[in-house]
Amino acid sequence: MIRFAIILLFATLTATASPPRERISINENWRFTKGDPTNNTASLLYDVRQQQTIRRLAEAEADGNSSTNDSGASRESTNQPPAVLKPWILPTGNDFIKDPSRRFARPGGNPGDGVTYVQPDFDDSSWRQINLPHDWAIEGPFTHSGGGGMGRLPSDGIGWYRKHLDIPATDAGKSLFLDVDGAMSYATVWLNGQLVGGWPYGYASWRVDLTPYAKPGGQNVLVIRLDNPPNSSRWYPGAGIYRNVWLVKTQPVHVAQWGTTLTTPEVSLQRTAVNLKVTVANDSKLAANVSVATEIFALNTSGQKTGPAIANFLPTNLQIPPGTSDVASSSTTITNPKLWGPPPTQYPNRYVAVTTMSQAGKVVDTFETPFGIRSVNIDPDKGVFVNGERIELKGVCNHHDLGALGAAFNERAAQRQLELLQAMGCNALRTSHNSPAPEFLELADQMGFLVMDEAFDVWVRQKTPLDFHLIFSDWHEQDLRAQIRRDRNHPSVIFWSIGNEVSEQFTFANGAVVAKELDAIAHDEDPTRPTTTAMNWAQPTNPFTATVDVIGLNYQGAGIRQAPGRYPEFHEQLPGKLIIGSETASALSSRGEYIFPVTGSNSAAVGPDSGEDRARHQVNAYELYSAPFGSSPDRVFASQEKNPYVGGEFVWTGWDYLGEPTPFDTSRSSYSGIIDLAGFKKDRFYLYQAHWRPDFPMAHIVPHWTWPERAGQVTPVHIFTSGDEAELFLNGKSLGRKTKGPFEYRLRWDDVVYQPDTLKVIAYKNGKAWATDEVKTAGKPARLKLEPDRGTIDADGKDLSFVTVTVTDKHGVTAPRADNRIHFTIEGPGAIVATDNGDPTSFESFQSHDRKAFNGLCLVIVRGEPRRPGKIKLTARADGLEAGTTLIKTIE
Ligand code: GAL
């Protein structure tokens, strides 16, 4: 008893001597190099990768270089089993393996001992200095060889990162953690020459405990090796430490990683019960007696606390034995809560729970959990209800890349993506096909999007030779539990998707076994949200289909299964399950490319004589063409409206993305986006806006009206409008007034004979004038116009201004087919981070300051220098054109 008291006193003294939690960004000042050291003798293979090993061996032999530095390959050639890192890495995921008997013990030894790059005294001064987030592949060069699936950029290979970390003497006795939001991929971490751990899945967020290897009171050397396989993805994965990285300092007794769970079981405008669970880890060698208390504050739109606490949870006491963790559970109520919900009918109000943990009356940890109060109900006959209101999911799927910035996460770039989508009327996002950056969900919370948070594209059965199937059996539990623990307090997240079009659909009952295991993990981590999986093949009777709560159908409503689609069949056979269009459309187009003749149908599969410009590798922007298994937006709208029990759709895709350039594999980026890779709206944007924002007055004319070679030829005109009727005028002469019929989403004048000058539309709604649009024939390109999306940005080295550069004629009319080569220069405290033009066939480097306009437009992404506020002047010049400039102010 006395001994226990002394131990407690000691634990208390150690704890109170230091400040509570610190979370420090360590993104700056890393050194980076590609490839392993040439004199490397030790194997740093994470695990055996059959195909890659063979490929590297073959390459080495072709080079006449038998002493390859990939020791796995050398060993294979001598028929010895290769040494692998897996046993040292696996313990990193132990907290996410439920069954203690299945957790891993770290073997003895220290892999990396003989590797120069791992050693603390290695001189890395000749390595490149970089800041994170970093994507080594986005700099290119693009390659013309091989397939286009992974974006034709050099994402495969080995990358090393080193950072000198100052750990002050006052950190002695603290727990020190490295939190990596995402590293692509197969990460291994050393501190001061000692292997700490790692994580293979490039989309996971993970933590390693640096405490045992840290040397407070001086420089510590942190080393991370990544090993990104080729043929590992169906899209551009990016490469490198492409998300934020943090050093977290706590007391040995602290709130565990993602240690809070907040739920709101009963939501009403009068009173809402809030339940909170706080997991406390005691990493000390002593028992700990802690008290956990939490207060709730309202957050304003910029995420700041406002006013005094509006509710509090009474303190809970825990006695935690050393080396274990325990959970403090408590409840409170909030009266007259402001609910979180999607605009435009609801508002994304948010709160934060501030947890304070004390030992002997002294605060030893504080932990903030932002959250929102909302109810989500799923009705198989009526759809998704948020706070009692039916919300049709007007969603899009997106991959994680940010166009010209690659996979390197940038909050402003992600925010811009979401802003444009919201302006279109989009209210839901699917994180296809993996866990997103944490800040992405923060943005979704702030802006009021509903999110399908997806985990995997692949389970046991591969889609590409070196994809996630290689590690599924070792890591699926850790990856899925980690994702759900990280994301479960976000009000935006409404579904957990356990997979996309996995090949386990084809193995019926066997596939269902895997699905059930993942479904059970999701429910175990979060009993409050339904699971789904996106199915392009499984039928209602397939045992796989019924394993999840919500039936996600890819292209089965309209597209892959011909009219009338399979929604009714699924609804009839699985009446207790909600159906959603988890992936729809896969419509394809290149911004500003119009190819004649235009199909008379309302949806056509793209092909040699259907929507394709085979010489230029572009796809018709009349927005009627799709992948063979997909369908036009119009056809999807009809199938959704005819089956109102379907909860909504997630369009493939909101934005163009790097890789998967169907139908022209020779290109660099996709054609499926509603918005192109540079962020310019395709015509399709207006087709969705017209349908998704019926109360927003708008009309949009397709195509442009600069066709000198088409004088006298039939040039169809289509109108996308939120009105129900429209009248079209060519040079003031009416071409007739048309009304949308049932299940029609555009108005078509398919026999207009082209003559230049002015095309104008007046749209009507309920008989009243509603919106207009006008296009004019442009003269010769004459000028460059520069328009920043924001004229003032933060001087923090992160914030960005996206500048649209338009080629116009001398009257300021956009020259819609201009392809002038433009040169950009910048003056003042800023830099050009990247340029693009949205052309999927462009192989110009994203870093280039020279770029051809694509159909009249170019994009320049500008960043301010950190801590140097001032004025940045961006100038664009092109031969024969009047130059243009713009000023961007940066502020602190
Ligand atoms: C879907 C798939 C997506 C993407 C899309 C291309 O079947 O789920 O990841 O490949 O097709 O249109």
Side-chain angles (χ1 to χ4, degrees):
M1 187 62 186
I2 291 172
R3 191 162 158 260
F4 185 56
I6 292 170
I7 287 171
L8 269 186
L9 179 68
F10 181 73
T12 307
L13 286 177
T14 335
T16 49
S18 307
R21 167 181 303 262
E22 291 170 87
R23 185 168 181 257
I24 302 162
S25 167
I26 53 166
N27 284 342
E28 287 188 12
N29 291 327
W30 287 72
R31 295 282 177 171
F32 168 73
T33 196
K34 277 193 81 178
D36 274 334
T38 46
N39 61 351
N40 182 22
T41 50
S43 170
L44 296 180
L45 279 184
Y46 170 82
D47 200 356
V48 184
R49 290 180 200 151
Q50 195 60 22
Q51 292 88 335
Q52 189 194 33
T53 305
I54 290 164
R55 191 189 77 95
R56 286 189 183 168
L57 193 61
E59 274 172 7
E61 276 166 6
D63 287 342
N65 169 15
S66 55
S67 63
T68 170
N69 63 23
D70 180 329
S71 57
S74 320
R75 280 161 196 258
E76 188 182 77
S77 62
T78 57
N79 279 335
Q80 290 188 13
V84 294
L85 292 179
K86 189 161 93 171
W88 283 271
I89 304 290
L90 284 168
T92 309
N94 275 350
D95 282 352
F96 304 93
I97 299 173
K98 184 141 199 214
D99 174 358
S101 71
R102 294 189 49 248
R103 295 186 189 141
F104 297 92
R106 182 188 164 110
N110 183 39
D113 259 349
V115 180
T116 50
Y117 292 177
V118 169
Q119 306 315 313
D121 56 1
F122 173 76
D123 179 7
D124 57 23
S125 58
S126 64
W127 290 15
R128 192 161 150 202
Q129 195 167 348
I130 52 117
N131 291 337
L132 307 179
H134 174 239
D135 176 357
W136 79 60
I138 196 63
E139 293 175 13
F142 286 105
T143 169
H144 288 271
S145 69
M150 286 175 69
R152 304 194 164 280
L153 288 162
S155 54
D156 68 304
I158 311 275
W160 286 85
Y161 292 83
R162 286 173 58 96
K163 178 166 175 69
H164 292 252
L165 267 184
D166 231 349
I167 301 187
T170 48
D171 283 350
K174 289 187 189 171
S175 289
L176 303 174
F177 300 103
L178 173 71
D179 280 6
V180 175
D181 289 347
M184 191 64 72
S185 56
Y186 289 85
T188 309
V189 180
W190 290 265
L191 185 69
N192 301 325
Q194 300 294 308
L195 191 144
V196 182
W199 202 289
Y201 190 35
Y203 295 105
S205 296
W206 45 274
R207 157 176 285 189
V208 288
D209 185 0
L210 301 178
T211 321
Y213 314 100
K215 293 184 179 155
Q219 283 252 310
N220 287 242
V221 180
L222 184 62
V223 178
I224 301 181
R225 178 186 187 267
L226 303 179
D227 180 359
N228 212 21
N231 302 319
S232 61
S233 178
R234 300 187 299 111
W235 58 89
Y236 175 70
I241 308 179
Y242 72 104
R243 290 184 185 157
N244 291 314
V245 173
W246 311 88
L247 179 64
V248 177
K249 303 178 181 182
T250 67
Q251 299 302 326
V253 186
H254 53 262
V255 176
Q257 183 191 18
W258 305 317
T260 53
T261 314
L262 254 150
T263 51
T264 51
E266 282 157 37
V267 173
S268 85
L269 282 170
Q270 289 72 40
R271 270 168 80 81
T272 287
V274 186
N275 294 340
L276 174 67
K277 286 184 180 165
V278 182
T279 304
V280 180
N282 179 1
D283 290 349
S284 77
K285 297 206 162 53
L286 309 167
N289 212 356
V290 299
S291 165
V292 180
T294 301
E295 291 182 308
I296 294 178
F297 298 85
L299 289 179
N300 63 19
T301 40
S302 38
Q304 312 297 323
K305 287 185 207 103
T306 56
I310 55 141
N312 64 301
F313 297 85
L314 292 178
T316 311
N317 295 322
L318 296 176
Q319 276 205 348
I320 315 171
T324 67
S325 60
D326 202 354
V327 180
S329 301
S330 50
S331 301
T332 190
T333 50
I334 298 181
T335 47
N336 303 323
K338 290 190 168 164
L339 305 187
W340 183 98
T345 50
Q346 301 189 37
Y347 190 83
N349 294 294
R350 292 192 305 149
Y351 294 92
V352 64
V354 181
T355 299
T356 307
M357 195 175 79
S358 317
Q359 280 183 288
K362 299 268 193 254
V363 174
V364 291
D365 200 2
T366 57
F367 192 91
E368 299 204 345
T369 312
F371 70 103
I373 298 172
R374 88 289 187 274
S375 67
V376 177
N377 293 310
I378 301 299
D379 182 330
D381 293 320
K382 295 190 182 131
V384 177
F385 289 76
V386 181
N387 303 321
E389 182 193 0
R390 182 184 193 265
I391 302 287
E392 188 194 339
L393 301 176
K394 300 168 176 174
V396 298
C397 308
N398 274 321
H399 278 310
H400 69 314
D401 77 64
L402 297 167
L405 302 172
F409 185 77
N410 177 283
E411 196 163 342
R412 171 57 201 154
Q415 185 185 44
R416 171 180 178 245
Q417 288 199 336
L418 300 191
E419 281 172 359
L420 277 163
L421 291 169
Q422 200 161 49
M424 185 172 76
C426 169
N427 63 10
L429 305 164
R430 173 175 178 227
T431 69
S432 40
H433 301 298
N434 43 257
S435 166
E439 294 83 359
F440 178 91
L441 293 179
E442 273 289 312
L443 287 168
D445 287 354
Q446 269 170 33
M447 298 173 76
F449 283 96
L450 303 171
V451 175
M452 181 198 294
D453 197 350
E454 191 154 83
F456 306 119
D457 190 47
V458 171
W459 297 346
V460 183
R461 291 164 63 94
Q462 72 175 60
K463 288 184 182 171
T464 58
L466 299 182
D467 64 23
F468 186 73
H469 84 282
L470 293 179
I471 51 174
F472 180 86
S473 64
D474 286 331
W475 284 89
H476 64 275
E477 181 182 358
Q478 298 92 311
D479 281 321
L480 187 55
R481 286 190 190 276
Q483 179 170 353
I484 296 175
R485 270 182 226 176
R486 190 194 72 173
D487 297 347
R488 64 192 163 190
N489 294 318
H490 286 282
S492 55
V493 175
I494 61 164
F495 301 131
W496 302 118
S497 167
I498 57 174
N500 170 60
E501 295 189 354
V502 292
S503 305
E504 281 71 11
Q505 290 173 102
F506 309 128
T507 59
F508 300 90
N510 289 342
V513 172
V514 188
K516 274 185 195 151
E517 191 208 335
L518 293 167
D519 180 77
I521 291 172
H523 286 302
D524 185 48
E525 286 295 329
D526 176 15
T528 72
R529 288 179 178 84
T531 55
T532 187
T533 188
M535 295 173 279
N536 62 329
W537 191 85
Q539 298 304 296
T541 50
N542 185 333
F544 182 92
T545 309
T547 53
V548 285
D549 303 319
V550 172
I551 308 283
L553 296 182
N554 286 10
Y555 310 104
Q556 298 211 51
I560 204 163
R561 316 281 171 207
Q562 289 309 303
R566 282 245 160 129
Y567 286 147
E569 215 177 306
F570 279 88
H571 188 49
E572 208 177 294
Q573 298 206 30
L574 296 157
K577 305 237 182 207
L578 174 71
I579 297 169
I580 52 169
S582 41
E583 205 169 302
T584 58
S586 248
L588 305 172
S589 58
S590 311
R591 174 184 51 78
E593 293 286 328
Y594 305 94
I595 296 156
F596 304 95
V598 175
T599 178
S601 149
N602 79 343
S603 183
V606 81
D609 300 315
S610 176
E612 288 183 2
D613 179 335
R614 293 188 75 74
R616 299 180 54 249
H617 290 184
Q618 303 295 359
V619 182
N620 199 337
Y622 273 88
E623 311 296 11
L624 290 162
Y625 301 89
S626 75
F629 53 82
S631 47
S632 66
D634 311 55
R635 205 167 143 231
V636 176
F637 293 154
S639 84
Q640 298 294 122
E641 290 203 320
K642 286 177 187 165
N643 299 288
Y645 49 84
V646 175
E649 63 165 317
F650 291 86
V651 177
W652 190 266
T653 51
W655 281 60
D656 271 336
Y657 53 96
L658 290 163
E660 217 188 23
T662 311
F664 297 112
D665 191 50
T666 46
S667 297
R668 65 166 197 195
S669 51
S670 82
Y671 297 76
S672 57
I674 299 169
I675 297 168
D676 77 14
L677 199 76
F680 301 133
K681 296 166 186 161
K682 298 183 187 174
D683 293 304
R684 218 182 313 153
F685 179 96
Y686 300 98
L687 188 53
Y688 282 99
Q689 191 179 53
H691 185 58
W692 283 355
R693 292 184 68 183
D695 299 331
F696 176 68
M698 53 76 63
H700 177 80
I701 298 175
V702 180
H704 64 71
W705 212 240
T706 304
W707 299 104
E709 77 282 18
R710 295 192 66 77
Q713 291 187 52
V714 169
T715 306
V717 176
H718 291 190
I719 303 297
F720 304 158
T721 176
S722 49
D724 43 34
E725 277 181 82
E727 186 167 8
L728 185 66
F729 301 88
L730 178 55
N731 298 331
K733 183 174 168 270
S734 174
L735 300 183
R737 185 161 162 160
K738 299 199 183 225
T739 307
K740 284 182 193 165
F743 305 111
E744 276 179 11
Y745 306 91
R746 67 174 74 198
L747 293 163
R748 307 175 65 142
W749 282 258
D750 278 331
D751 48 9
V752 177
V753 176
Y754 179 78
Q755 51 175 280
D757 211 34
T758 306
L759 201 56
K760 180 174 176 176
V761 66
I762 302 176
Y764 296 86
K765 191 157 185 146
N766 301 324
K768 293 203 182 102
W770 175 249
T772 68
D773 190 24
E774 187 177 275
V775 284
K776 278 184 176 295
T777 304
K780 278 202 328 244
R783 290 186 192 155
L784 293 171
K785 180 171 77 177
L786 275 63
E787 294 167 295
D789 68 337
R790 289 182 314 146
T792 304
I793 58 173
D794 290 336
D796 62 358
K798 294 183 223 154
D799 201 4
L800 301 172
S801 184
F802 290 84
V803 183
T804 300
V805 181
T806 309
V807 182
T808 74
D809 70 5
K810 63 180 182 206
H811 303 294
V813 177
T814 300
R817 298 161 80 184
D819 63 355
N820 305 67
R821 175 164 293 287
I822 309 176
H823 178 67
F824 303 102
T825 51
I826 192 159
E827 294 158 68
I832 294 173
V833 189
T835 60
D836 191 13
N837 58 13
D839 177 358
T841 70
S842 170
F843 279 50
E844 288 176 291
S845 161
F846 289 124
Q847 271 65 51
S848 175
H849 292 194
D850 280 287
R851 180 169 289 278
K852 283 178 87 167
F854 177 57
N855 291 326
L857 300 181
C858 252
L859 174 77
V860 185
I861 308 174
V862 173
R863 178 174 61 202
E865 280 179 26
R867 300 173 284 277
R868 279 194 61 205
K871 283 204 177 111
I872 302 171
K873 184 178 174 193
L874 180 71
T875 304
R877 294 186 178 82
D879 284 350
L881 305 186
E882 193 183 309
T885 63
T886 189
L887 285 181
I888 297 156
K889 203 167 137 193
T890 69
I891 52 168
E892 266 195 303

